[in-house]
Amino acid sequence: MKHPFLAGAAVVVLTAALAACGSSAEGNGPEAAGATASAASGPPVAGPSAGAQEEPGPDATASETSEAPKVPADRITPATGSFTKKQKEFLTDRVPQGMDPAAVLQTGQETCDKLRYLVKVDRDTAVGSIVTGEIPDAKPAVAHLCTEHQELVDEAALGYADGTHTGKRLRAGGYRSAAPTKDCTWQTEDGSGKTLDSGSSDTGKPTRITIPRTARAFTSTGCYAWLPEGDNG
C-alpha cells in the first residue's frame, strides 16, 4: 500500500533533502572523478509494492529484481577515470546493458547524500524514508558507499510502513510512529481475524504502540512508518 504524504516538518525535511542534495558521496575521490563527471541521471526505481506484506522491509528494489541483462563485473568501467573497490562492489549486478555505470553510481551517491542530510535534521524521518522506500536502494548504497549509516538500515529492517502486514513472523514489541499525519490509525488482529488492539491519533505527533506476540496482522494508515523501540523479536 502506498503511504500517504508526509506531514508537518517531515514534508519540509524530506522534500528539502530530495531537492537540495547533490550527487557527491563519501568515497568519491579523485580516482572516480571521471566516472561521476559523466553521470547524468540514474535509472527509474519503483516504490514499494501495494498490498499485504508477508515479510515487510526495504530490501527489495527494482534494480535488484529487474530481469534486464546486467554488465558483467569485470566489464564495469567508467568512460574516464576508474572506480574504487567499494564503488565497483556497489555496481556489481546493478548496471543494465547499454547504461553508463557512472549513472548508476550516481543514484547510490545521491542516496547517501539524502540520508546524510536527513539524519542531521531528523533521525526518525531518515529511518522512515528507508522503511517506506521513499529513499530507494538504501541497503546496497549504505553497504558500499556510506557505511556510517548502517545503523539506519538495520533499524529500518525492523520497521513497518503504512499498509497491511501479515504472517506468523510479525515482530512483537514496542513501536513508535515516524512523521504521522493527523489521521493516523492502526489495528492488530489475531489469526482468526479478531481485533486485538486498535487506535488512532489526530495530533500529528509520534504515537507508541505494542504489537503482541499473538498478532498475525498489523494494519496502519496515515502513520507513515513504525520504528522499533528496544529489542523487538
Side-chain angles (χ1 to χ4, degrees):
M1 176 181 293
K2 293 184 179 180
H3 59 76
F5 293 107
L6 304 186
V11 174
V12 178
V13 171
L14 190 52
T15 301
L18 297 176
C21 289
S23 61
S24 62
E26 281 189 51
N28 183 28
E31 67 276 16
T36 56
S38 61
S41 61
V45 183
S49 59
Q53 302 177 20
E54 176 70 22
E55 290 295 329
D59 299 346
T61 62
S63 57
E64 291 174 334
T65 58
S66 173
E67 296 181 1
K70 301 297 190 299
V71 177
D74 58 357
R75 292 174 53 193
I76 297 177
T77 55
T80 60
S82 61
F83 292 125
T84 66
K85 180 181 178 180
K86 288 294 185 181
Q87 289 170 338
K88 197 160 188 177
E89 289 174 351
F90 169 76
L91 292 170
T92 298
D93 297 326
R94 301 181 66 80
V95 182
Q97 293 282 358
M99 176 171 282
D100 183 353
V104 179
L105 175 62
Q106 180 174 311
T107 65
Q109 293 172 331
E110 289 173 345
T111 291
C112 289
D113 285 342
K114 293 165 187 173
L115 290 176
R116 190 173 296 115
Y117 175 86
L118 284 174
V119 77
K120 290 180 179 178
V121 179
D122 188 286
R123 189 180 186 281
D124 278 2
T125 301
V127 179
S129 70
I130 300 174
V131 174
T132 62
E134 191 85 30
I135 296 183
D137 286 346
K139 183 177 179 179
V142 169
H144 301 296
L145 304 177
C146 48
T147 56
E148 71 273 18
H149 296 316
Q150 187 60 49
E151 287 187 1
L152 303 182
V153 173
D154 293 342
E155 184 175 342
L158 300 176
Y160 294 101
D162 269 344
T164 297
H165 308 272
T166 63
K168 294 181 179 180
R169 298 185 63 184
L170 274 178
R171 291 176 291 274
Y175 293 84
R176 67 185 181 280
S177 57
T181 68
K182 290 187 176 181
D183 188 20
C184 170
T185 62
W186 55 271
Q187 177 176 294
T188 55
E189 300 175 353
D190 63 14
S192 66
K194 178 183 178 181
T195 298
L196 297 174
D197 202 0
S198 64
S200 63
S201 175
D202 60 1
T203 65
K205 297 180 179 179
T207 300
R208 285 173 167 76
I209 66 170
T210 297
I211 296 179
R213 293 190 179 278
T214 54
R216 294 295 178 266
F218 171 55
T219 301
S220 166
T221 303
C223 308
Y224 184 53
W226 295 91
L227 310 183
E229 293 199 314
D231 297 325
N232 291 349

